[in-house]
Amino acid sequence: HCEAQLKNYLDLGAKDKLDIKFSLSGENTYKKESIKLFEKKSIGDNNLIESSDAYMSPFLISTVNKPVFILASLDKQNLKDALNKNRQQLLGFILIAIIIIFIIFNVLIHFGISKPLKKLMEQISMIKEGHYDAVSIVKTADELEEISKNVNMLAIAVNNRETSLKNSQNQLEYLSTHDELTELYNRRSFSMKLEYALQMAQRHKTKLAVIFLDLDEFKQVNDTLGHTIGDRLLQAVAHRLHSSLRESDVLARVGGDEFNIFVNGFKNITELQIFAQKILDDFQEPFVDAENEIMTSASIGIAIYPDDGEDTESLIKNADLAMYRAKEIGKNAFSFYSMELSNDLQKRMGIVQALKSAIKNQNEFLLHYQPKISIKTNKILGVEALIRWKSPELGFVRPDEFISIAEDTHIIIDIGHWVLHQACQDFVALKDAGFDVGQMSVNVSGVQLEYSDMYKTVKDAIASSGIKTHELELEVTESYIATNEKSAVATLMKFRNMGIEIAIDDFGTGYSSMSHLHKLPISRLKIDKAFVDDLPDSKESVAVVNAIIALAQAFELKITVEGVELEAQVNFFKDKYCDDIQGYYYSKPLTIQELKEFIDKTS
């Protein structure tokens, strides 16, 4: 029975790869470690023996005859194989679990983070590419949504800023090519367009004309009506000029009251003459601004490519020169450029350079003095200082040849300074030598009064020479007063407050307002030679002179008559309200020595 039972165990052990051995002898190696198999309720690890290659467990079965020893052993290799198999299964399970977790995590990342991030990056890419339209915000209810909102706000802000910058850039670009006041092309843009037109004219062997237009007496408008009205006049002129041009013509305001036009496609000079005259005719209609009706005219100069120049600078310069010729011939006219004008320009530049040299040397100028004779007593009441210039390069230069140039270039300021100081010194020297000439009259240019500290110049001349203020008379032109009435009153009042007398020279030619004459701080009117020449035969001249004398008498002003050369003219004024006479009838302008001799002779 025991053997059969053991055999059964052996079969079971074989199935589980358990090696079971039994022995009936007591010589078993593990006799002492053996425990009773059926008597121990719980078999623990205390009967488990480990060898290098197996796990063993010895048991003891008590029988009737003698004990039976059983040794159950399990090869470690079997356990290792089973363990490795289990490990592989576990690793496979773990790997599958990791893959599943990765897939789940990737899905979560895609829908929870990756997709919103991708959308956010699309927002940023749109800004980078210059598209600033607001897009739908990422809805994640976390920091990504807040970032998306901020990106949208950034896009809107950048869009607004870029729009503003583009508008500013467009405005700056427009201002760089257009005149802000009239919205016409400016000088730079006109030159560029003219340069291109000249290239086309050269290629097609055609002619092109440059027109230089300048408003007449525009400064008077600014001074009398104000700069605001002056600006509106310029806008109205620009509009009227633009409406008179063809589409192919180009109009620009190049500065102040100056406009440039270039015309191509004309057949002959007659067409240009008709074109220029049409522009002048357009100025016959007054410019209306609110309550003001402004009458103005223009002077036009014309230069033709290629006859008068082959480049932009030459054509504009020559048209400008022709415009000045139009002003010289009476304004409200047009003039074409010619070689004569070029020669005049060269002469003018020579005078300018010689004047600058004369100012440095200060030994080329000298003063002549023309006596002013009392019409009642034939005595000298005063002298007028008149400048003369003898240039080493140009020889003797008449005042009418260089004074206007000196005024245009402001060299007259330095010349006038020298004249005033020299005249005051000569007057005091004559007085100290016993030659009484009554009063010294000195001409003062409007340029001196407007662009220099004339008040300081006069004070310095008085202080350095010792002349008395009542012994000095300053002569200013009527045209200066007419165009600078407000500033003229303020400036001349300073001299009157010093005790210096003020005379209006060439009265009747400057179109000053008679109604404002009483406001001027003047003491004398000088009747211009132009009204004296035709006396006493011209009824018109007689009427003008009588009107001036009556005006002076009404305002209690002194009268000096200029340019008297004939006895009939002297007789005309003898029974008039008149103080003194200047002219060749009595004396030409004299040097200091000649003046002394004249005084000795007439005394």
Side-chain angles (χ1 to χ4, degrees):
H1 175 74
C2 185
E3 288 178 355
Q5 193 72 15
L6 288 173
K7 184 179 180 181
N8 187 35
Y9 284 148
L10 287 173
D11 293 337
L12 291 173
K15 289 180 181 180
D16 295 329
K17 298 182 179 181
L18 184 68
D19 184 21
I20 300 175
K21 295 178 181 181
F22 67 93
S23 173
L24 297 177
S25 66
E27 299 176 356
N28 190 291
T29 306
Y30 301 103
K31 182 179 180 179
K32 293 182 179 181
E33 289 83 4
S34 299
I35 61 173
K36 291 182 178 182
L37 180 61
F38 300 110
E39 294 181 3
K40 193 168 181 68
K41 294 181 179 180
S42 178
I43 300 174
D45 295 335
N46 56 342
N47 69 323
L48 186 62
I49 301 169
E50 182 181 0
S51 67
S52 61
D53 55 358
Y55 293 102
M56 294 170 290
S57 185
F59 297 96
L60 170 64
I61 300 175
S62 298
T63 66
V64 175
N65 297 321
K66 53 182 176 180
V68 176
F69 295 94
I70 301 171
L71 179 64
S73 63
L74 184 62
D75 192 346
K76 283 185 177 182
Q77 188 61 43
N78 292 332
L79 291 175
K80 289 178 181 179
D81 291 342
L83 183 60
N84 287 335
K85 183 178 180 181
N86 289 337
R87 284 176 178 172
Q88 290 174 359
Q89 291 176 347
L90 180 60
L91 287 174
F93 176 76
I94 291 174
L95 181 61
I96 292 172
I98 289 174
I99 292 173
I100 293 173
I101 291 172
F102 177 78
I103 292 172
I104 294 173
F105 182 75
N106 191 44
V107 171
L108 291 176
I109 287 293
H110 176 71
F111 288 99
I113 298 177
S114 177
K115 190 174 181 180
L117 279 176
K118 182 178 180 181
K119 191 172 183 180
L120 184 62
M121 291 305 297
E122 289 176 355
Q123 281 183 275
I124 296 173
S125 296
M126 288 178 66
I127 296 176
K128 183 179 178 182
E129 294 171 4
H131 302 293
Y132 306 114
D133 296 331
V135 298
S136 58
I137 298 172
V138 175
K139 301 293 185 180
T140 58
D142 58 10
E143 290 82 357
L144 283 179
E145 182 174 336
E146 191 65 27
I147 292 172
S148 180
K149 289 179 180 179
N150 290 334
V151 169
N152 248 9
M153 292 174 63
L154 175 63
I156 295 171
V158 171
N159 184 41
N160 293 338
R161 179 63 61 85
E162 186 164 293
T163 301
S164 177
L165 288 173
K166 285 182 179 178
N167 292 336
S168 298
Q169 184 178 0
N170 293 337
Q171 182 69 9
L172 287 174
E173 185 176 349
Y174 180 84
L175 291 176
S176 69
T177 57
H178 289 76
D179 172 55
E180 185 175 5
L181 179 64
T182 62
E183 297 185 353
L184 298 177
Y185 290 120
N186 58 16
R187 184 190 300 273
R188 172 176 172 268
S189 186
F190 180 82
S191 296
M192 292 172 61
K193 290 184 176 297
L194 177 58
E195 181 68 31
Y196 177 77
L198 288 174
Q199 293 175 6
M200 294 297 100
Q202 184 179 20
R203 180 180 302 174
H204 298 101
K205 307 295 183 184
T206 58
K207 290 192 174 186
L208 181 147
V210 174
I211 296 175
F212 200 112
L213 182 146
D214 183 89
L215 299 184
D216 298 327
E217 308 299 343
F218 178 71
K219 187 176 185 300
Q220 184 174 351
V221 175
N222 270 341
D223 292 338
T224 55
L225 299 178
H227 289 275
T228 300
I229 301 299
D231 287 347
R232 291 176 186 168
L233 174 60
L234 290 172
Q235 291 171 332
V237 168
H239 177 75
R240 190 173 294 184
L241 286 173
H242 191 269
S243 63
S244 301
L245 302 181
R246 303 168 303 176
E247 290 186 4
S248 59
D249 302 330
V250 175
L251 169 65
R253 179 185 177 222
V254 295
D257 59 337
E258 297 175 338
F259 296 84
N260 280 175
I261 306 169
F262 72 73
V263 179
N264 49 31
F266 60 91
K267 297 178 182 178
N268 49 50
I269 298 297
T270 303
E271 282 191 18
L272 286 178
Q273 290 173 328
I274 295 173
F275 180 78
Q277 188 59 51
K278 182 180 182 301
I279 293 176
L280 296 179
D281 292 342
D282 287 341
F283 279 81
Q284 298 303 311
E285 183 181 350
F287 293 89
V288 180
D289 179 77
E291 299 177 355
N292 300 296
E293 275 197 8
I294 305 172
M295 292 297 301
T296 187
S297 60
S299 296
I300 295 175
I302 305 171
I304 300 174
Y305 167 85
D307 304 339
D308 304 327
E310 298 184 356
D311 59 83
T312 300
E313 184 178 355
S314 298
L315 286 168
I316 294 176
K317 179 192 70 176
N318 292 338
D320 188 12
L321 185 61
M323 181 272 296
Y324 275 106
R325 174 55 60 88
K327 285 190 178 295
E328 289 176 2
I329 62 178
K331 303 177 183 178
N332 190 29
F334 62 85
S335 175
F336 286 87
Y337 174 80
S338 65
M339 285 306 299
E340 179 186 356
L341 288 178
S342 180
N343 294 334
D344 289 345
L345 177 62
Q346 294 296 327
K347 181 179 178 181
R348 178 185 175 90
M349 293 304 298
I351 291 175
V352 170
Q353 294 301 322
L355 279 174
K356 291 180 179 179
S357 177
I359 291 298
K360 293 179 181 179
N361 298 333
Q362 292 194 350
N363 59 0
E364 299 178 20
F365 297 117
L366 65 152
L367 293 181
H368 285 188
Y369 298 95
Q370 187 169 38
K372 296 194 293 184
I373 307 299
S374 170
I375 198 168
K376 306 298 183 184
T377 65
N378 285 335
K379 290 184 178 180
I380 296 179
L381 298 181
V383 293
E384 179 182 358
L386 300 170
I387 190 170
R388 297 293 183 262
W389 178 29
K390 188 174 182 180
S391 167
E393 299 89 3
L394 306 176
F396 179 77
V397 186
R398 298 195 314 272
D400 61 348
E401 293 181 312
F402 74 86
I403 292 297
S404 61
I405 296 175
E407 288 182 323
D408 291 342
T409 56
H410 289 197
I411 298 175
I412 195 68
I413 293 175
D414 292 324
I415 294 176
H417 182 277
W418 177 86
V419 169
L420 182 63
H421 280 72
Q422 188 64 46
C424 290
Q425 291 172 8
D426 287 349
F427 179 87
V428 173
L430 285 169
K431 187 177 178 180
D432 291 343
F435 296 94
D436 185 10
V437 294
Q439 191 178 55
M440 175 62 70
S441 295
V442 179
N443 291 281
V444 177
S445 167
V447 175
Q448 291 175 265
L449 293 168
E450 190 169 357
Y451 297 102
S452 70
D453 190 352
M454 194 63 196
Y455 182 69
K456 182 179 183 302
T457 300
V458 172
K459 286 184 66 176
D460 291 346
I462 292 173
S464 62
S465 65
I467 192 174
K468 306 298 183 184
T469 55
H470 69 274
E471 296 173 331
L472 179 61
E473 181 181 69
L474 300 180
E475 295 187 13
V476 296
T477 61
E478 185 185 11
S479 57
Y480 164 72
I481 294 175
T483 56
N484 302 273
E485 186 173 325
K486 291 183 180 179
S487 61
V489 171
T491 301
L492 299 179
M493 185 61 74
K494 293 181 180 180
F495 301 130
R496 288 294 288 151
N497 291 337
M498 292 172 63
I500 299 172
E501 294 194 355
I502 306 295
I504 297 183
D505 196 14
D506 304 332
F507 186 78
T509 62
Y511 308 104
S512 62
S513 174
M514 299 297 184
S515 62
H516 295 159
L517 190 61
H518 68 283
K519 298 179 183 179
L520 298 174
I522 59 176
S523 53
R524 183 187 303 272
L525 296 182
K526 299 187 72 174
I527 300 176
D528 188 70
K529 183 179 184 298
F531 301 115
V532 177
D533 287 342
D534 296 331
L535 291 177
D537 300 325
S538 171
K539 293 181 180 180
E540 291 80 4
S541 295
V542 170
V544 171
V545 169
N546 285 336
I548 294 173
I549 291 174
L551 188 67
Q553 190 172 7
F555 291 136
E556 298 182 351
L557 301 174
K558 299 175 184 177
I559 285 285
T560 296
V561 183
E562 298 181 294
V564 176
E565 299 179 355
L566 305 174
E567 185 174 359
Q569 295 168 344
V570 175
N571 293 333
F572 174 83
F573 287 104
K574 278 186 177 180
D575 59 348
K576 303 292 184 182
Y577 176 81
C578 181
D579 294 276
D580 47 62
I581 290 176
Q582 276 182 273
Y584 275 51
Y585 179 80
Y586 287 106
S587 174
K588 66 177 184 179
L590 306 170
T591 64
I592 284 286
Q593 184 58 38
E594 291 172 340
L595 179 60
K596 291 178 180 179
E597 294 172 0
F598 179 82
I599 294 172
D600 286 336
K601 180 180 178 180
T602 56
S603 63

